[in-house]
């Protein structure tokens, strides 16, 4: 292919996967997308389909009515079948009981089969691809009797950018979302602006980012979706600054600050930062995967917290699908029937370096109680007290409790409480120029700005003229503490 033709074609495709264009063309055969395999089924006639998308779906056998519904959006150069095969969503659909819709775009829409997250004709309310995806949701809700209050959307890369746009345009449809290596909502409104978003989005304030969400559905006052943000620290296709912008955007929409309520470490070198709403429940969660490039984090294996298959843009680190599902509550929400009420009075009775003790009020009709730590089930108990042991000193843990009836059906989760174990390394404070903070390994640079390691807070320009104080706690997690840093 002549270079002039290649340059013209590059201008026509979404920059999200432009780096892969040459390789894609060298191996292109002109064949249609791979046929769906296994339990994945194509659906036609789901609506007027203004975005010219294809709909695929997966549902476990004997799916009860009022089950949740998940929409999963592939990345550029991928198909619905790729996402079905490698992401791990079918495993948890079977395990927890929900249906999954896999929308698919094709080269007819975009040369690299990217969703149009940067195109106002495709990503706005009532428009193009976004409208087609919502039509799929409505079709699936009727087909499976899904609970309209528990519809969630997730996506990778361009699918992640479209996920953020859908959450902004349709907060009345989606109860939660998960953006993997994606872009903040309405980061770009043209193809020309898309590359700038990928390598370093605009340096906007949280309020300015939040305004982009509020403008997508004017007059909407909530409730807002709960948002998970997944990002590899070595992603040079969609830079980590996008995760910071997403965090700023959705914490502002929720009316909460950009300082995490708690941080902890997960497998695969993953740091989780939780931003609670005013009721103490996680509203926004970021997952930063150390050393991971551009892709969806998976963890092949048969364990309860393992999922997926390693492939192009499916990278071995941690099962992001499991942790996203737990964040949304898919592991404990039970469709249909009357649920037991949430236990009241949950409180911390004792803490030590390696344990936390809890107590709560009894619930009439409860056969037992399930204790959840950081969103994952850790124990079942017949009584109204529990001591969680084997914990890490100096670490914050979040707990909820649900009552379980005689059939094993869990009820509504209690309000969350947070307990911090004693001991551990004390916090440390470091005052230095931005240049020196980066040189010391306490911060990193992206697009000429410096960001604190762990929190990804924007420290300003990368030079020796800007000075900040960083507070480290836990180890390797830094926050700006210019107004006072208590060690």
């Amino acid at each position: 292919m002549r270079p002039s033709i290649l340059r013209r074609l590059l201008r026509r495709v979404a920059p999200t996967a432009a780096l892969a264009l040459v390789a894609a063309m060298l191996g292109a055969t002109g064949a249609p997308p791979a046929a769906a395999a296994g339990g994945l089924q194509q659906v036609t006639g789901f609506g007027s389909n203004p975005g010219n998308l294809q709909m695929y779906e997966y549902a476990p056998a004997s799916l009860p009515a009022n089950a949740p519904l998940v929409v999963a959006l592939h990345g550029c150069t991928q198909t619905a079948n790729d996402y079905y095969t490698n992401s791990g969503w079918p495993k948890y659909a079977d395990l927890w009981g929900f249906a999954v819709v896999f929308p698919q775009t094709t080269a007819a829409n975009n040369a690299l089969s990217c969703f149009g997250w940067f195109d106002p004709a495709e990503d706005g309310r009532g428009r193009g691809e976004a409208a087609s995806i919502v039509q799929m949701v409505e079709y699936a809700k009727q087909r499976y009797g899904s609970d309209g209050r528990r519809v969630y959307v997730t996506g990778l890369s361009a699918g992640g950018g479209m996920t953020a746009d859908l959450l902004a345009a349709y907060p009345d449809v989606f109860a939660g979302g998960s953006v993997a290596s994606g872009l903040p909502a309405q980061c770009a409104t043209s193809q020309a602006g898309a590359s700038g978003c990928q390598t370093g989005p605009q340096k906007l304030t949280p309020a300015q980012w939040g305004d982009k969400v509020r403008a997508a559905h004017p007059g909407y006052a909530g409730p807002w979706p709960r948002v998970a943000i997944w990002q590899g620290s070595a992603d040079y296709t969609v830079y980590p600054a996008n995760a910071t912008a997403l965090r700023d955007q959705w914490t502002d929409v929720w009316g909460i600050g950009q300082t995490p309520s708690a941080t902890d470490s997960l497998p695969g070198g993953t740091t989780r930062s939780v931003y609670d709403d005013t009721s103490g429940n996680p509203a926004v969660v970021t997952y930063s995967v150390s050393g991971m490039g551009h892709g969806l984090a998976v963890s092949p294996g048969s364990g309860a917290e393992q999922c997926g298959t390693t492939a192009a843009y499916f990278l071995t680190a941690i099962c992001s699908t499991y942790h996203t599902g737990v964040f949304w509550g898919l592991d404990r929400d039970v469709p249909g029937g009357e649920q037991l009420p949430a236990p009241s009075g949950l409180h911390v009775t004792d803490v030590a370096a390696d344990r936390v003790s809890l107590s709560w009020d009894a619930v009439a009709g409860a056969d037992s109680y399930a204790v959840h730590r950081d969103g994952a089930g850790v124990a079942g108990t017949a009584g109204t007290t529990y001591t969680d042991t084997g914990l890490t000193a100096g670490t914050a843990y979040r707990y909820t409790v649900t009552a379980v009836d005689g059939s094993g059906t869990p009820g509504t989760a209690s309000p969350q409480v947070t307990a911090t174990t004693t001991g551990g390394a004390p916090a440390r404070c470091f005052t230095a120029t931005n240049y020196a903070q980066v040189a010391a390994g306490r911060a990193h640079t992206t697009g000429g700005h410096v960001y604190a390691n762990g929190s990804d807070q924007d420290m300003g320009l990368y030079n020796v003229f800007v000075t900040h104080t960083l507070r480290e706690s836990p180890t390797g997690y830094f926050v700006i503490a210019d107004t006072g840093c208590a060690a």
Side-chain angles (χ1 to χ4, degrees):
M1 179 177 287
R2 295 197 305 273
S4 60
I5 297 176
L6 174 59
R7 284 194 296 269
R8 287 198 296 272
L9 183 56
L10 280 168
R11 288 195 292 268
R12 294 179 55 207
V13 303
T16 307
L19 294 177
L21 178 57
V22 175
M25 288 191 301
L26 288 174
T29 63
L40 187 66
Q41 302 295 326
Q42 184 170 8
V43 175
T44 58
F46 58 85
S48 60
N49 193 16
N52 190 35
L53 300 181
Q54 297 173 2
M55 176 181 177
Y56 292 86
E57 63 180 4
Y58 174 76
S62 303
L63 181 70
N66 295 316
L69 176 67
V70 172
V71 178
L73 302 172
H74 64 77
C76 295
T77 74
Q78 296 178 333
T79 65
N81 191 50
D82 292 333
Y83 220 65
Y84 166 82
T85 301
N86 300 308
S87 67
W89 279 110
K91 171 178 177 174
Y92 295 105
D94 290 339
L95 184 64
W96 295 334
F98 57 86
V100 188
V101 169
F102 294 89
Q104 178 173 285
T105 189
T106 68
N109 285 9
N110 178 276
L112 290 178
S113 299
C114 305
F115 288 102
W117 59 271
F118 51 86
D119 187 347
E122 303 293 348
D123 65 3
R125 188 175 178 91
R127 301 173 192 163
E129 294 177 354
S132 288
I133 293 168
V134 172
Q135 287 181 356
M136 296 180 198
V137 168
E138 294 305 315
Y139 178 92
K141 284 165 57 178
Q142 295 179 25
R143 177 179 176 86
Y144 295 115
S146 303
D147 186 349
R149 299 166 301 175
R150 295 185 294 165
V151 179
Y152 306 91
V153 60
T154 181
L156 166 65
S157 190
M162 181 60 81
T163 292
D165 288 340
L166 285 166
L167 294 173
Y170 293 97
D172 51 337
V173 173
F174 298 103
S178 179
V179 180
S181 299
L183 300 303
Q186 297 301 317
C187 183
T189 55
S190 69
Q191 188 166 293
S195 292
C197 286
Q198 290 173 232
T199 57
Q202 304 171 60
K203 305 302 180 184
L204 302 181
T205 66
Q208 289 172 322
W209 280 119
D211 285 345
K212 289 180 177 290
V213 172
R214 289 180 282 269
H217 187 13
Y220 182 78
W224 294 103
R226 298 184 183 272
V227 182
I229 301 160
W230 289 87
Q231 181 69 49
S233 67
D235 187 341
Y236 303 114
T237 299
V238 176
Y239 280 40
N242 285 283
T244 302
L246 277 159
R247 186 273 315 270
D248 290 352
Q249 183 171 66
W250 289 100
T251 52
D252 180 78
V253 168
W254 273 89
I256 55 182
Q258 286 73 54
T259 299
S261 307
T263 62
D264 59 2
S265 297
L266 298 176
T270 305
T271 298
R272 174 172 54 186
S273 300
V274 181
Y275 302 82
D276 289 343
D277 63 18
T278 55
S279 298
N281 296 312
V284 178
V285 181
T286 63
Y287 302 84
S288 177
V289 186
S290 179
M292 190 180 83
H294 186 65
L296 183 73
V298 298
S299 178
S302 58
E305 299 183 14
Q306 291 181 290
C307 73
T309 304
T310 301
Y313 306 113
F314 294 95
L315 309 178
T316 298
I318 183 176
C319 176
S320 58
T321 296
Y322 168 81
H323 289 279
T324 294
V326 168
F327 169 59
W328 289 339
L330 298 180
D331 64 324
R332 60 185 185 272
D333 287 343
V334 177
E338 292 295 327
Q339 292 183 323
L340 291 174
S344 61
L346 176 63
H347 64 285
V348 179
T349 59
D350 184 49
V351 294
D354 63 346
R355 68 180 186 272
V356 170
S357 296
L358 305 168
S359 179
W360 57 90
D361 298 333
V363 173
D367 184 72
S368 63
Y369 299 90
V371 180
H372 287 77
R373 180 210 312 135
D374 295 334
V378 293
T381 177
T384 57
T385 61
Y386 176 71
T387 297
D388 192 18
T389 59
L391 304 178
T392 302
T395 303
Y397 295 96
R398 301 173 305 282
Y399 293 92
T400 59
V401 175
T402 56
V404 181
D405 65 21
S407 67
T409 301
T412 304
S414 70
Q416 179 179 271
V417 297
T418 301
T420 302
T421 51
T422 59
R428 297 188 297 169
C429 302
F430 305 88
T431 301
T433 67
N434 279 358
Y435 179 85
Q437 298 281 24
V438 173
R442 296 185 287 267
H444 58 279
T445 62
T446 297
H449 272 228
V450 174
Y451 297 88
N453 288 346
S455 69
D456 282 333
Q457 290 179 310
D458 189 347
M459 299 167 59
L461 293 174
Y462 180 41
N463 57 36
V464 297
F465 304 108
V466 180
T467 297
H468 283 294
T469 296
L470 295 180
R471 182 177 187 271
E472 182 184 23
S473 181
T475 301
Y477 190 94
F478 297 88
V479 297
I480 298 174
D482 294 338
T483 58
C485 187

